[in-house]
Amino acid sequence: MALWVVLAVVAVLLGYVRLAPSDPETWHVMPQTSGDKDFGNGVIRVVSGAPDGLERLDGIVMQSPRTTRLAGSTGAGMLTYVTRSALFGFPDYTTVQQDAETVTIYARARFGRSDMGVNRDRVQGWIDALQP
């Protein structure tokens, strides 16, 4: 009986992770920052680039597996994406903003205190692909 209760709880939690709504007002934000920063469940990276860096980065991000656009546009100068983990579907949110020739990338996990470097590695891959 206890096994069925545990399995039911796990199923409910996994269902919540996959089906919980992503509110753009909560996730489509960019904190004030002056440089790169690492924290337990994400990163901030500031990249000097071309005036078209946001458009180029949008193309790179949208080719990433399990990634969708949540809010924003290149015309508005800020975009937010949701990338889900392959196995359990945990959502990570990445907000990208361009100011002149500087692109700021803010990636963070929705659940947990640690993302085990997943956001750092994903963002670094995008930055590497962005470089000429």
Side-chain angles (χ1 to χ4, degrees):
M1 179 68 162
L3 176 62
W4 290 110
V5 171
V6 170
L7 289 175
V9 168
V10 169
V12 167
L13 290 175
L14 290 176
Y16 177 74
V17 165
R18 286 220 178 247
L19 301 174
S22 296
D23 181 10
E25 288 188 27
T26 301
W27 298 105
H28 188 56
V29 295
M30 180 64 72
Q32 295 293 330
T33 185
S34 59
D36 293 351
K37 181 179 178 182
D38 288 50
F39 39 95
N41 69 345
V43 296
I44 296 174
R45 294 291 182 260
V46 179
V47 180
S48 296
D52 65 343
L54 185 62
E55 290 178 13
R56 290 179 32 229
L57 188 58
D58 181 50
I60 293 165
V61 172
M62 291 306 297
Q63 292 179 20
S64 299
R66 301 171 309 281
T67 300
T68 59
R69 191 176 294 118
L70 175 65
S73 68
T74 56
M78 189 164 88
L79 295 151
T80 297
Y81 308 92
V82 180
T83 304
R84 293 194 173 268
S85 65
L87 185 58
F88 295 112
F90 285 103
D92 291 335
Y93 296 88
T94 305
T95 301
V96 181
Q97 183 175 34
Q98 179 145 12
D99 181 25
E101 292 190 14
T102 301
V103 175
T104 304
I105 305 169
Y106 173 39
R108 65 271 190 211
R110 177 173 182 167
F111 299 107
R113 295 182 186 183
S114 174
D115 68 354
M116 299 185 297
V118 170
N119 280 298
R120 180 195 64 232
D121 294 345
R122 181 183 311 112
V123 168
Q124 189 59 53
W126 291 344
I127 291 170
D128 291 347
L130 183 63
Q131 302 303 323

